Amino acid sequence: MGTLDKHCTGYKIDDVFKSNALVDIRACNKPVVKSLFRGVRSSKFRHVYGSPSRREELYDNIPITRNAHDSNFCAANPKFVAIVTEVAGGGAFVVLPINKTGRLDLNTSKVTGHRGPVLDVKWNPFNDNIIASCSDDCTIKLWYIPDSGLSCNLNEWLIELRGHRRRVGYIEWHPTAENVIASSGFDYLVMLWDAGTGQILNTIDCHPDIVHSLAFNRDGTRLATTCKDKKIRSIDPRSGLVVSEGICHEGSRSCKVIYLDNERLLTTGFSTYSDRQIAIWNHTDLSEPLHRVNIDSSSGILFPYYDYDTRMVYLAGKGDGNIRYYEIVDESPYIHFLNQFISGCPQKGFGMMLKRGCNVSRCEIMRFYKLHTTRNVCEPISMIVPRKSDQYQHDLYPDTAAPVPALSAQEWFNGISKPPVLMSMKTGVSVKTHKPQAFVSNEATRNDTNYRMKFAFLSKETVPDYRPLDMLPEIEKNQKTQVNQNMKFQQIQQKLSNSLVGKFTNTTDGDEECNNMKENSNSNDIMKNEYQMKKAFTRQCEELNMLRKQLAHRDRRIQDLEDLVSTLQSQLKVQRLQ
């Protein structure tokens, strides 16, 4: 160990405690205790570790794309995982159910509607069956994936977004508005789309060069971009005005950006000496970063992934074998290194699972789907907080973003802003069981309701059953049949009474008894069936719109093929005449 201080030259630590050098120590300007014993910052995520998957849990034999584009090439949600693949003569990606692990068949069905290589894929945050993809053919397409997965190659899209003049590199869904998607192309344009109608909401043309990344903030009121001109910009996506801009990183390689909340940004890039860096920014003033950290001297581009619930940032470099993770705080230096997951296999891309898809019984706070560079393997990696209990941990799982939009695309474009709708990780286990009406913000009220529902059977009186065991099935069957018949008879009788009451009200005016009969017969049905009718009506409207879009695209495809056949026939006639 070295000397105590520059004013205490000649005294080492062993000499201090073995000799009577107390006077010299007191003569030092800085206290010795602070330099000898540094405190450890308290954090419940200090011991987070990465857990790789077993061999049978891997997605094996996947022909992962070899494209050199700076993208993740993978996207995951609680139902599916999508991976961009290498296909001759066009672009394709494979969509697998989340539980379909193991070795993949060579003839597995793919999404094969693009005419060029697929550059980016993103799942709809409000519908786990819809995925968007952008390609080298200058288009963005939306696809519907059934719950059972693909049974054949899918080449019929829901909607096609055309507007970019060159290839589309990156896409990003809006976090709160339904059917709003942002795209950036190699034509230096950023476009905002209404995916429901296929219209362009806004075109942002403030970039003089290629856009390297784009990200929305938590409520979708700001859009941050990094560009090849080394600048970071904070843009109002509805008006297209640049609110603030500044030099991001001095290096010439690609920079990536994510929003940490509604105001702060995190960027990754390179210094002038090719050192990899991360920086924290305030989006109102991008002239200077709040904090900048040098990481290492590797050449792989760093991709940041942020978890809003735990406030943790994960950094994974393309070509690296490790994942670094940090914790974000509100005070300077705003970011603290926690640990890293080290692996000997380099990665080509990562897919980040939505928080509602994590396994709460394992204390899993994040899951990544790692695409290997040297092997055709996609490996799930779980980030786990070590806890002895397997019960639900309230401090690890605050309310997270729900698969419910806060507002429509037109409302957002008209100037309305809302925070994302939240759901409980304890009650909203999956998308199917999630009900937006059950959201409760008060933790004590929610716990009290759960306990009352759990122990409601204790307040009921137990009635003994003395029927013989061999007669129970037949008795219960007869009882169920009788109950069903009574319910059907009551429904028919109620419909007849409603029709009679309607006729009677049309022939008589101002009769008080008739009005009472009508109110009594209809009020209960309206209260009970209003929600089911609305839900069924909404579902049928969505299916009807989807079928209409598919029919329209099929008719358009038929027309194109007929035109092609007619042109070929005309060419054949010309050749025969010659």
Side-chain angles (χ1 to χ4, degrees), residues 142-401:
L142 271 66
W143 313 86
Y144 179 81
I145 310 298
D147 289 336
S148 58
L150 297 177
S151 58
C152 60
N153 285 345
L154 180 63
N155 53 16
E156 294 182 359
W157 52 86
L158 287 179
I159 196 165
E160 185 180 38
L161 306 178
R162 286 183 174 271
H164 286 282
R165 297 188 295 271
R166 296 182 66 185
R167 56 179 176 171
V168 187
Y170 305 97
I171 51 177
E172 193 71 35
W173 289 93
H174 195 279
T176 59
E178 187 177 17
N179 293 330
V180 176
I181 188 170
S183 64
S184 66
F186 282 69
D187 53 0
Y188 311 158
L189 297 179
V190 175
M191 292 186 177
L192 277 298
W193 305 82
D194 183 355
T197 60
Q199 297 177 352
I200 299 176
L201 297 177
N202 194 12
T203 301
I204 303 171
D205 57 353
C206 61
H207 300 89
D209 213 323
I210 298 172
V211 178
H212 283 157
S213 68
L214 67 162
F216 283 101
N217 63 347
R218 183 65 164 162
D219 57 5
T221 56
R222 289 286 184 89
L223 178 68
T225 62
T226 57
C227 185
K228 195 175 180 180
D229 63 352
K230 304 180 183 180
K231 285 188 177 182
I232 177 175
R233 292 173 175 85
S234 178
I235 305 170
D236 185 354
R238 285 174 281 213
S239 64
L241 298 177
V242 178
V243 180
S244 181
E245 65 177 7
I247 298 296
C248 182
H249 295 275
E250 296 290 343
S252 59
R253 304 204 60 186
S254 177
C255 300
K256 302 296 178 181
V257 61
I258 55 172
Y259 259 99
L260 302 179
D261 46 39
N262 283 331
E263 295 183 355
R264 288 185 298 172
L265 296 158
L266 183 140
T267 58
T268 62
F270 294 82
S271 68
T272 53
Y273 302 102
S274 298
D275 293 333
R276 293 198 292 192
Q277 295 178 333
I278 56 176
I280 309 293
W281 308 78
N282 190 328
H283 72 164
T284 58
D285 183 14
L286 296 176
S287 59
E288 288 292 334
L290 299 175
H291 187 64
R292 196 192 300 267
V293 180
N294 286 343
I295 299 178
D296 55 20
S297 298
S298 182
S299 60
I301 296 173
L302 280 175
F303 287 86
Y305 307 90
Y306 184 61
D307 183 8
Y308 285 100
D309 302 331
T310 59
R311 304 185 70 183
M312 290 178 62
V313 173
Y314 302 87
L315 299 181
K318 182 166 287 191
D320 295 352
N322 59 344
I323 306 173
R324 297 178 176 89
Y325 37 99
Y326 300 77
E327 187 174 8
I328 302 298
V329 295
D330 296 327
E331 299 82 14
S332 181
Y334 306 104
I335 185 168
H336 293 279
F337 176 75
L338 293 174
N339 208 337
Q340 63 177 336
F341 167 76
I342 301 175
S343 172
C345 300
Q347 58 241 10
K348 185 176 183 60
F350 270 96
M352 180 178 173
M353 172 61 73
L354 298 175
K355 196 57 176 289
R356 51 189 172 87
C358 294
N359 188 355
V360 297
S361 62
R362 294 182 59 196
C363 296
E364 183 185 44
I365 59 174
M366 187 52 62
R367 190 189 312 153
F368 293 99
Y369 289 83
K370 173 182 175 179
L371 303 182
H372 287 238
T373 304
T374 56
R375 297 187 298 164
N376 293 330
V377 171
C378 176
E379 177 187 9
I381 298 175
S382 300
M383 311 305 295
I384 297 175
V385 179
R387 295 283 175 93
K388 293 183 178 180
S389 175
D390 59 351
Q391 300 297 319
Y392 180 78
Q393 307 292 323
H394 291 277
D395 59 331
L396 299 181
Y397 301 104
D399 291 346
T400 188

Side-chain angles (χ1 to χ4, degrees), residues 451-500:
Y451 278 110
R452 281 193 283 105
M453 293 174 63
K454 185 175 181 180
F455 298 106
F457 69 96
L458 294 177
S459 61
K460 295 182 180 180
E461 183 180 358
T462 304
V463 179
D465 191 358
Y466 298 104
R467 294 176 293 178
L469 295 177
D470 55 349
M471 295 292 292
L472 282 178
E474 185 177 356
I475 294 172
E476 291 179 356
K477 183 177 180 181
N478 294 333
Q479 288 179 352
K480 291 180 180 179
T481 305
Q482 186 176 2
V483 170
N484 293 332
Q485 290 177 354
N486 291 335
M487 290 180 65
K488 290 181 180 178
F489 176 75
Q490 290 175 2
Q491 291 175 359
I492 295 171
Q493 188 177 11
Q494 196 169 14
K495 289 181 180 179
L496 291 174
S497 62
N498 292 339
S499 61
L500 291 174

Side-chain angles (χ1 to χ4, degrees), residues 8 11 16 19-28:
C8 300
Y11 289 98
V16 167
S19 64
N20 51 358
L22 186 61
V23 178
D24 295 324
I25 295 176
R26 291 178 181 176
C28 297

Side-chain angles (χ1 to χ4, degrees), residues 404-425:
V404 178
L407 66 168
S408 65
Q410 199 60 38
E411 289 175 345
W412 174 79
F413 190 68
N414 291 335
I416 302 175
S417 299
K418 292 182 181 179
V421 180
L422 302 180
M423 63 177 283
S424 172
M425 286 287 289

